[in-house]
């Protein structure tokens, strides 16, 4: 299983490190690292590139998180996993690697996005549906009441391990997945440190889509 976990980690990182936002920006002759917030994630893509490409980036970032977990499952199954827990553990390894790949892509000097959309794809693949929908519900509630994407993302990050541990109490989730949910939450909060500082200073910008081209 060591080989399966190593394979899951490598494939997960490579999938996660695909810079969807950067590539979409280059299609328009734009470097997202030098526009808007300077982030290559879906939020900045929506602001800078417009609705159509922004949603493509969002979907692509979610897809690579989902695919990474599926690749982790497949690596364990192909290499003879002896239990369902081993398959889940390989998916967890791939999930961690995918988030790290998105946040620190080797192709862009380890300067990537915050990993929220990629984490959403991971949630769909790795956790019971209630975990995804609870985090999505928190994000929608906080975003539409505050118009701060960062507030919605931070709320969703906290909701992830909270719902995972609650479901663990009902036998619907295990400690390994609840643990990775906690790690993903901490990483998301850490990646949002500049946003938190701006929120406390009252200088964080509310979401207003700005398109360089017609959406």
């Amino acid at each position: 299983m060591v080989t399966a976990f190593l394979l899951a980690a490598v494939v997960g990182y490579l999938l996660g490190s695909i810079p969807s936002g950067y590539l979409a920006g280059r299609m328009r002759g734009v470097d997202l690292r030098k526009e808007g917030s300077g982030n290559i994630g879906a939020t900045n893509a929506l602001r800078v590139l417009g609705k159509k490409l922004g949603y493509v980036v969002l979907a692509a970032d979610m897809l690579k998180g989902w695919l990474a977990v599926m690749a982790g499952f497949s690596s364990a199954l192909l290499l003879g996993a002896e239990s369902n827990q081993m398959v889940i553990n390989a998916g967890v390894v791939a999930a961690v690697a995918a988030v790290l790949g998105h946040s620190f892509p080797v192709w862009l000097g380890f300067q990537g996005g915050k990993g929220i959309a990629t984490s959403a794809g991971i949630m769909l693949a790795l956790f019971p549906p209630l975990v995804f929908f609870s985090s999505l519900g928190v994000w929608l509630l906080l975003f539409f009441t505050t118009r701060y994407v960062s507030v919605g993302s931070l709320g969703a990050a906290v909701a992830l391990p909270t719902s995972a541990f609650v479901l663990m109490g009902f036998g619907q989730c295990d400690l390994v997945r609840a643990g990775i949910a906690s790690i993903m939450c901490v990483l998301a909060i850490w990646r949002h440190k500049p946003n938190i500082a701006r929120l406390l200073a009252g200088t964080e910008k509310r979401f207003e889509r700005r398109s360089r081209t017609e959406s």
Side-chain angles (χ1 to χ4, degrees), residues 158-189:
V158 173
L160 171 57
T162 301
S163 56
F165 276 107
V166 168
L167 287 180
M168 191 175 75
F170 290 94
Q172 300 298 311
C173 193
D174 54 80
L175 185 59
V176 173
R177 284 182 287 180
I180 184 56
S182 301
I183 293 173
M184 289 167 64
C185 172
V186 171
L187 181 59
I189 292 172

